[in-house]
Amino acid sequence: MFNWWQLAFETSRMAFEAQEVVAMRLTKIGRGDAAASVEAQQMVMEKTLVIGEAWMAAAGVAMRNGSPQSVAAAFLGSYRKRVRANRRRLSR
C-alpha cells in the first residue's frame, strides 16, 4: 500500500530544494557575466527536457497498471533527481 503522507512529504521537500535552486540560480544570473548567460540557457533547455522525462516516467508506471500514487511518485522522482543535481552543482 502506498503512503500518501510520504508522497506529500517528498513533494514538500522537493519544493523546498527547488526554491534553494531558484535562489542560487538568480544569484548566479544576477552577476551578468558569461556564466550567467550559460546558466540561463541551460535552465531553459533543462526545463523542456525534464518535463518530457517526467511524463515518460509517469507513463511507464501507468502502462504497467500502476496506482495513481505510484504514477505521481514516478513523475515527482524525475523532477527531484534534477533538482538535487542542480542543487549540488550550484552549491559548489
Side-chain angles (χ1 to χ4, degrees):
M1 178 160 206
F2 193 84
N3 186 346
W4 277 104
W5 289 108
Q6 184 67 31
L7 180 61
F9 176 75
E10 292 298 328
T11 302
S12 298
R13 193 162 76 175
M14 194 266 314
F16 178 75
E17 291 172 351
Q19 289 302 308
E20 287 180 306
V21 169
V22 168
M24 287 187 276
R25 276 186 160 159
L26 287 176
T27 301
K28 188 170 188 173
I29 291 170
R31 291 184 194 131
D33 56 6
S37 177
V38 170
E39 184 66 32
Q41 290 173 5
Q42 181 178 346
M43 179 179 63
V44 171
M45 183 176 59
E46 182 180 79
K47 291 193 181 303
T48 305
L49 293 173
V50 76
I51 192 69
E53 289 174 3
W55 277 107
M56 292 300 290
V61 171
M63 284 196 264
R64 292 188 302 271
N65 294 322
S67 68
Q69 298 92 340
S70 60
V71 172
F75 191 87
L76 175 68
S78 184
Y79 267 102
R80 184 117 195 266
K81 181 177 77 173
R82 289 289 185 131
V83 168
R84 273 195 230 132
N86 281 326
R87 188 171 167 226
R88 278 191 305 269
R89 179 178 58 80
L90 291 166
S91 64
R92 289 189 234 146

